[in-house]
Amino acid sequence: MGLPDLRLDQLLEELQTRLDAARGTRDRVHALLEAVLTVGRELDLDQVLQQIVETAATLVDARYAALGVIGDDGMLAKFLTTGLTPEQVRGIGPFPTGHGILGELIRHPEPLRLRDIAEHEASVGFPANHPPMHSFLGVPIRVRGEVFGNLYLTEKRDGGQFDAEDESVLQTLAVAAGVAIDNARLYREARLRERWLLASGEITSRLLSGASEQDVLAELVQASVEILEADLGVIALTLQTTGGTGLAVQLAEGLDAELHRGLLLPLEGSFMGTAFSSAEPITSNDIAHDPRVTAGPPRWQGLGAAVAVPLGRGANGPRGVLMLARRTGLYPFTSVDVAPLKAFANQAALALELAAHRSDAEQLALLEDHDRIARDLHDLAIQRIFATGMTLQSAQRFIDHPQAAERVGRAVEDLDETVKIIRTSIFGLRSRNSAQESTGLRARLVDVVSRFVPTLGFTPSLRLEGLLDTDVPADTADDVLAVLQEALSNASRHAGAKRIEVLARVTGGSTSEVLLSVADNGVGLSEGGRRSGLVNLEERAAKHGGVLHLEPNPGGGTRLVWRVPVRPED
């Protein structure tokens, strides 16, 4: 073969090589265009992110790929992968948060190509059970000029290295991914806004149509959990105790909800208390290890991200706090989640306030009707019965038959008893009032017991005897209420009772005294027979010349007896 033939063969081979390269470039461009179209078709954000990861791995022929979403704290809030089997994922354990090479791209959002990950100074190694990875290519994804996250590719399938063309292809995909993510986020925000508006309208409508506050609070928690895809929802309302303001958990739904129901939370040392005190939403990426949570029993196992939002903001602080939490490993609550949740909670609080005012107006109308009935009974019924009794009594002396005279005497006594019953009814009608406006001790005692019903999970028995509203001085009445609050609070926190009997009684005569008894069927007295707050109760009794007794309840449990003279001698 001559020299010209060799040169011709070389030229033909070179031409074939260039044709193959051009064909490969064309195919790769087509694949990239198809990838751009594919990630742009989806509107569900999670589906878009997963599609981006899988497309990136295909375009640069990588064995493993991941997409890390950067959270508000600058760490990885979400981590999606492809190439790992479910067994490998479980063996590796929790996904990374943004240290080592992954954190390098967060700190310096520029393309990064490495021959071997272990050779980079930022490398911190791999966790146990992690497959070996060497070659690496990472590029940032920007949405509207801000870094949304990073694409991480490792292990070129042919054993080679990622090259400049791979980097260029991945950067192009990242630009398309940014547009697709932005569209998906806008779509998600619009859908969420629509759902929040519907839920808010439903809550307001239910409250103003007469639904009970407890039912509406349940719908509030359920709607928040569903819209933000939370695994636990808790709502607590403010409660005034002898120790100050606290939070009583009214409702809890979801993961381990029973651990939260009935809790009395202080403002200091609790996640919800922090939100109440600041009157602003707060978030946590790991509620189980949040340093703000120091009070209450262990109840956060399996939970990670959490958000707490105050309900309204009035002159006396929020009405309560709504808290949502997600399982460990799920993405945290972002500002996109928190802003509409705050607006929803504020509107719900306003609806609760309006419903309370409407209830007050209805109560006022009822009280006016009670006053009218009481006046009619006093002015008409009692006077006529009294006149009838006087007539019978005056006629009794003209009756000669002993049995007839006896019967008339019994009738007079029955009429006197009837007058007493009517007067008691009149007294009851006039002493009822709303919890906010009432100054009568009877109504205030009823209000205290009612406020503990959601916390206890049952309604305590309440018995009121004697002229509590007229014979008990104001300062003594205030202490009676404080003692009852402390006793019920202790019973709900420590006793584990299923039944509580409350007796408030005032006796007349020269040894007039007021007695408050709170008996439960709980676990009984702890060692030494002491509980928190009892010193305070003893001091309240002592300043009136009274005493406090704590003793075993004959039916099981504990009985607290607090008694003081109504008018102690100087």
Side-chain angles (χ1 to χ4, degrees), residues 212-260:
S212 69
E213 181 177 294
Q214 193 76 359
D215 290 342
V216 173
L217 291 177
E219 292 187 18
L220 173 65
V221 172
Q222 184 179 359
S224 302
V225 167
E226 290 179 355
I227 293 174
L228 290 184
E229 298 176 351
D231 296 293
L232 173 68
V234 179
I235 194 165
L237 300 182
T238 56
L239 177 68
Q240 296 296 329
T241 67
T242 55
T245 302
L247 293 172
V249 174
Q250 303 292 307
L251 284 165
E253 298 294 337
L255 182 65
D256 293 334
E258 64 278 1
L259 300 179
H260 300 264

Side-chain angles (χ1 to χ4, degrees), residues 125-137:
F126 296 104
N129 303 315
H130 198 287
M133 295 181 181
H134 301 282
S135 57
F136 175 87
L137 174 60

Side-chain angles (χ1 to χ4, degrees), residues 412-428:
V412 172
E413 292 175 359
D414 289 342
L415 289 174
D416 288 340
E417 189 64 29
T418 302
V419 169
K420 292 179 182 179
I421 294 173
I422 293 176
R423 281 177 173 164
T424 301
S425 299
I426 293 172
F427 180 81

Side-chain angles (χ1 to χ4, degrees), residues 7-338:
R7 288 179 176 175
L8 180 59
D9 289 342
Q10 289 174 350
L11 290 172
L12 289 173
E13 288 178 3
E14 183 178 349
L15 179 60
Q16 184 63 44
T17 300
R18 292 189 178 185
L19 287 172
D20 291 341
R23 187 179 298 109
T25 301
R26 182 199 64 188
D27 293 342
R28 199 165 196 185
V29 170
H30 286 169
L32 179 59
L33 291 174
E34 180 61 30
V36 170
L37 292 174
T38 299
V39 298
R41 291 190 189 109
E42 282 287 348
L43 286 176
D44 181 81
L45 183 57
D46 289 338
Q47 291 293 332
V48 168
L49 297 179
Q50 189 62 45
Q51 186 70 53
I52 291 170
V53 176
E54 296 172 0
T55 302
T58 301
L59 283 175
V60 299
D61 203 24
R63 185 180 301 276
Y64 306 107
L67 192 157
V69 179
I70 301 175
D72 294 337
D73 59 354
M75 304 300 286
L76 293 179
K78 194 170 186 178
F79 199 74
L80 299 93
T81 65
T82 187
L84 295 172
T85 65
E87 292 75 17
Q88 287 176 313
V89 172
R90 286 193 294 270
I92 294 172
F95 282 125
T97 57
H99 300 285
I101 294 296
L102 304 186
E104 183 71 14
L105 260 78
I106 297 175
R107 293 185 292 272
H108 307 288
E110 298 294 336
L112 178 64
R113 251 189 307 138
L114 300 174
R115 187 182 67 84
D116 193 332
I117 296 174
E119 294 178 356
H120 195 278
E121 60 182 9
S123 177
V124 294
F126 296 104
N129 303 315
H130 198 287
M133 295 181 181
H134 301 282
S135 57
F136 175 87
L137 174 60
V139 298
I141 298 176
R142 287 181 168 84
V143 177
R144 299 191 181 189
E146 295 184 359
V147 178
F148 172 83
N150 295 302
L151 274 171
Y152 307 105
L153 288 300
T154 63
E155 291 298 286
K156 190 86 168 176
R157 286 188 182 277
D158 58 6
Q161 297 294 316
F162 295 108
D163 55 24
E165 187 175 339
D166 292 327
E167 182 179 318
S168 178
V169 168
L170 206 58
Q171 283 184 286
T172 304
L173 177 65
V175 173
V179 175
I181 290 169
D182 191 33
N183 290 338
R185 288 204 306 187
L186 290 173
Y187 177 74
R188 179 176 181 268
E189 290 174 16
R191 289 294 304 273
L192 284 176
R193 192 178 301 113
E194 179 184 5
R195 296 185 67 183
W196 282 124
L197 287 173
L198 289 173
S200 181
E202 181 65 24
I203 294 294
T204 302
S205 175
R206 291 274 291 146
L207 270 171
L208 299 181
S209 65
S212 69
E213 181 177 294
Q214 193 76 359
D215 290 342
V216 173
L217 291 177
E219 292 187 18
L220 173 65
V221 172
Q222 184 179 359
S224 302
V225 167
E226 290 179 355
I227 293 174
L228 290 184
E229 298 176 351
D231 296 293
L232 173 68
V234 179
I235 194 165
L237 300 182
T238 56
L239 177 68
Q240 296 296 329
T241 67
T242 55
T245 302
L247 293 172
V249 174
Q250 303 292 307
L251 284 165
E253 298 294 337
L255 182 65
D256 293 334
E258 64 278 1
L259 300 179
H260 300 264
R261 294 188 186 120
L263 289 180
L264 294 176
L265 301 173
L267 299 187
E268 293 186 9
S270 69
F271 187 65
M272 300 178 78
T274 303
F276 180 92
S277 299
S278 65
E280 291 293 337
I282 61 170
T283 59
S284 173
N285 290 347
D286 186 6
I287 187 66
H289 301 94
D290 196 297
R292 291 169 290 190
V293 180
T294 59
R299 57 194 183 279
W300 305 110
Q301 184 69 29
L303 293 170
V307 58
V309 180
L311 295 175
R313 187 174 182 178
N316 298 321
R319 289 179 60 88
V321 178
L322 170 65
M323 192 274 293
L324 303 176
R326 290 173 176 149
R327 294 177 186 271
T328 302
L330 297 181
Y331 48 92
F333 293 93
T334 65
S335 56
V336 175
D337 298 322
V338 174

